[in-house]
Amino acid sequence: MTDSKGKRPGMAAMLALLALLPGCGALAPRPAGIDQRLTALPREGLGLTGPVTIRWNEHLVPWIEAGSDGDLAYALGLVHGHLRGGQIALLRMVARGRLSEMAGPLARDYDHAIRILGFDRAAPEIERRWPAETRAFMTAFLAGLNKAALEGPRPPEFGLLGLRREAFTTTDLLAIGRLAGTDVNWFSYFSLLAERGKPGFATAWRRTLEAGANLTPPSPREANLPGLLAGLSRAGSNAVAVAPTHSASGAAMLASDPHLGLSLPNLWLLVGMRSPSFHAVGMMVPGVPIIGLGRNPEVAWGGTNLRAASSDLFDVSGLPPEAFAESETTVRQRFWFGTTRRVRMSPLGPVLTDARVVPGRPGETLALRWAGQEPADEITSLLRAARARSGAEFRASFDSFAVSPQNFLYADRAGTIGRLTAAILPARRGFPADGPVLDGGDPAATGPWSHLLHAGDLPALENPPEGVLASANENPSLWAKDPPPLGYFFSDGDRVARLRALLLARPKLRPEDLAALQRDTLAPKAAVLAAGLLARFDALQGGAPDFLGPLRGWDGDYAAGSRAALVFELVLARLLPGLLPEGSNGRGPETGWNFVTTFLLRDLDALPESRRAALLRQAAAEAAPLAARYRVWGDVHQLRAAHWLVNLPVLGRAFVLGEMPVGGSRETPMKTGHGLVNGPHEVSFGSMARYVSDLADLDSNWFTLFGGQDGWLGSAAFADQIPLWREGRSIRLPLRPETVAAEFPRVTVLRP
């Protein structure tokens, strides 16, 4: 057997292995100290109009001072490219559907699906509409980024992945931003599409809506499209704001901790900056010149994913052929020949079912209408937010912010705390009762997209009487009065209830209290479920088995040293499958925490007594040997520190830095996501960055990343913050120039 050019597949495999040899340096990178990494920063031929000073601390966090906004933007781009050039290049390959250029034919169907989704589709119109200030900032940032990408050191992983030096474009950066704005509902959509038409789907859909049970985001290491997107989208997070009346300092405070993929390098970058228009510290998305969460002298902000449905699936099978615009896209493949694929656009968005990795019924044509295809402008919104001088100015910045829909919390120096809904969403009246696919020929279904709601039309709240605000991806109906229909699926209210309880437990809160809140591992509903299960075991003849003893009086704390958390999860994993519909793969919404808290005890009690007793005894019998094998939750709940190259077949293990026991669970404030527990497992999604600010002090701003600041393999700052993250310590990012000078002692001066 040969290919069209007469080459044997075996020869192609051999050539592929030989092609990897130039990248073997990534397997054993040379150690690089802080000073060595600073020396490698490009300094000749810079596109600056004046000198720029960059101060660095021991963790390689930069604090940039520039005489003009354009020079600040250029220096930011240079720093992004130097510290995270390899990561930004990978994000571009994902966002533009170019994975096959690294992985070969195995990735071509994913590339096709990504190109259909079109993370870059709105880019030309977004750029055309930019105000002059945004255009100038983006142009300078891109120039600095390309200076590092084209002339700086070549990232070690480039050889292994077959990547070449390549200039970034505006479209690349906008596509990366849209990739980060992936609709988290897609994770559920793709699972539910595969189940439509099967017996019991109507009942499963009804229960899913009742529970609000979004799928747990899949691991980025899973070989499917949702798994690919899950670790890159802004899918989770906690945020809290505290009014001066509840603050020990007498000023407002804010804390935020994003929940994303836990691979290294981190999906955030820490930066401080000052220019004529900007004076701020915070976390930036690599490759995008905005502060996603942070602080300027007057306002602090953070946020959580709203979990709103910013997209709808439409059945467009009935539309005439002339309603579709068709084009071809060429997918280049490493180790193999290029291939062409069809991309079709319907009046209701791109045709998803043309991609092989998207499930659908035979002959069915499904299109996706997504707010991320609108020419909205998140970059301008967040650039303006970073310059806001009050909560009111901050709130007014988001009228053109579309994806991913966010709950933004803010606090200002005048003492105002508030929250706003930043999104562009269709003006829906409700959601379908029979499944996630709408009729593309029904004006009642398509009509909401003709009138889009913006931030000013969506729920907001300012200065609540209790003096605290908390957000944790909860249903907006928990805090807003009669909100419009925003989404199907939200996080269980357990996490936000726990955050509020912790905030209200102390009359006067300090920054240390907010930092401790971010590391809390208690899930109140787990305690309720455990007590309910124990009562049902006690009712059996012979009573509950002895190994369930730790559940008596358990408060739901998933500390790494908890025996009760281990026992509870082992029993749950053996019990739940017996309650799932026949033929379930155990991965659908019914295994999510919302579903468990809504239906577990109810479903048990609905069984005939004999069946319930048999199921409980079987679960206990199967869980007991595992409970004897492991001692505590941390014995099975493991956090792996690994570079994203861990996803490579065969070679991936070389990129694991270590594994460690960790506390937390699906819906604890310190989120460490997992599925059903059948033994040791890895946490791949959860709390991966932390931030706390007290507006009483310009310097009271504290940050930590799971991992480190530098994405360069072998760098001393690649994973140096992991001990801080584990021990609850942080890095201060001050705003006062004298404090910056004292705590960021290494100085780099860039000149034109």
Side-chain angles (χ1 to χ4, degrees), residues 574-599:
R574 292 302 181 278
L575 185 59
L576 190 58
L579 296 170
L580 297 182
E582 186 176 350
S584 170
N585 61 9
R587 295 297 311 278
E590 66 272 9
T591 65
W593 189 239
N594 296 46
F595 202 98
V596 172
T597 58
T598 303
F599 291 115

Side-chain angles (χ1 to χ4, degrees), residues 28 116 140 142 191 213 256-257 272 386 539 597 652 663 715:
I116 289 172
L142 187 65
S191 173
S256 189
D257 51 298
T597 58
S715 168

Side-chain angles (χ1 to χ4, degrees), residues 86 89 197 254 382 434 449 461 475 562:
L254 187 134
L382 286 164
D434 55 356
W449 284 92
L461 179 64
N475 192 321
S562 171

Side-chain angles (χ1 to χ4, degrees), residues 232-247:
L232 301 174
S233 67
R234 291 175 282 188
S237 309
N238 302 323
V240 301
V242 178
T245 53
H246 275 61
S247 168

Side-chain angles (χ1 to χ4, degrees), residues 569-695:
E569 287 292 340
L570 291 176
V571 171
L572 184 66
R574 292 302 181 278
L575 185 59
L576 190 58
L579 296 170
L580 297 182
E582 186 176 350
S584 170
N585 61 9
R587 295 297 311 278
E590 66 272 9
T591 65
W593 189 239
N594 296 46
F595 202 98
V596 172
T597 58
T598 303
F599 291 115
L600 177 65
L601 298 181
R602 188 196 306 182
D603 286 351
L604 269 175
D605 290 343
L607 294 174
E609 184 177 353
S610 60
R611 172 61 182 151
R612 180 171 63 250
L615 192 60
L616 289 168
R617 289 193 179 96
Q618 180 181 351
E622 292 176 355
L626 288 172
R629 185 182 309 169
Y630 305 106
R631 298 177 302 105
V632 294
W633 180 231
D635 289 345
V636 299
H637 198 54
Q638 298 280 313
L639 180 57
R640 181 168 72 172
H643 190 275
W644 48 260
L645 287 173
V646 73
N647 300 306
L648 291 174
V650 183
L651 301 176
R653 191 68 196 174
F655 298 98
V656 177
L657 279 68
E659 297 174 340
M660 61 204 80
V662 66
S665 185
R666 311 165 187 85
E667 286 296 330
T668 52
M670 192 183 84
K671 186 180 181 77
T672 51
H674 61 92
L676 297 182
V677 175
N678 295 300
H681 55 271
E682 295 167 2
V683 174
S684 59
F685 180 90
S687 303
M688 41 71 77
R690 298 175 183 141
Y691 155 53
V692 175
S693 268
D694 184 345
L695 278 87

Side-chain angles (χ1 to χ4, degrees), residues 108-109 112 327-331 339-343 356:
R108 64 187 171 205
D109 289 338
H112 185 208
S327 62
E328 283 191 340
T329 185
T330 299
V331 179
T339 185
T340 59
R341 294 293 176 90
R342 179 174 67 164
V343 175
R356 296 173 183 172

Side-chain angles (χ1 to χ4, degrees), residues 213-379:
N214 198 9
L215 278 176
T216 300
S219 164
R221 291 187 284 276
E222 291 187 37
N224 54 39
L225 183 62
L228 177 66
L229 300 176
L232 301 174
S233 67
R234 291 175 282 188
S237 309
N238 302 323
V240 301
V242 178
T245 53
H246 275 61
S247 168
S249 69
M253 296 193 297
L254 187 134
S256 189
D257 51 298
H259 301 165
L260 295 166
L262 284 159
S263 62
L264 308 182
N266 198 284
L267 287 167
W268 294 102
L269 182 70
L270 302 179
V271 176
M273 64 183 75
R274 187 169 189 174
S275 70
S277 299
F278 295 90
H279 185 194
V281 295
M283 297 183 189
M284 305 183 77
V285 177
V288 186
I290 52 87
I291 295 179
L293 56 160
R295 158 91 190 272
N296 66 35
E298 303 299 330
V299 183
W301 65 95
T304 73
N305 196 292
L306 176 62
R307 300 282 178 91
S310 61
S311 54
D312 278 324
L313 286 168
F314 289 98
D315 185 346
V316 293
S317 305
L319 297 183
E322 59 269 22
F324 297 83
E326 184 171 329
S327 62
E328 283 191 340
T329 185
T330 299
V331 179
R332 292 189 297 168
Q333 302 178 97
R334 193 181 185 192
F335 314 135
W336 208 247
F337 314 105
T339 185
T340 59
R341 294 293 176 90
R342 179 174 67 164
V343 175
R344 289 191 294 164
M345 285 293 297
S346 79
L348 293 167
V351 177
L352 279 190
T353 43
D354 283 347
R356 296 173 183 172
V357 294
V358 176
R361 295 171 177 172
E364 186 176 53
T365 305
L366 301 182
L368 180 80
R369 184 72 187 267
W370 176 40
Q373 296 155 0
E374 302 292 323
D377 189 0
E378 293 81 16
I379 289 176

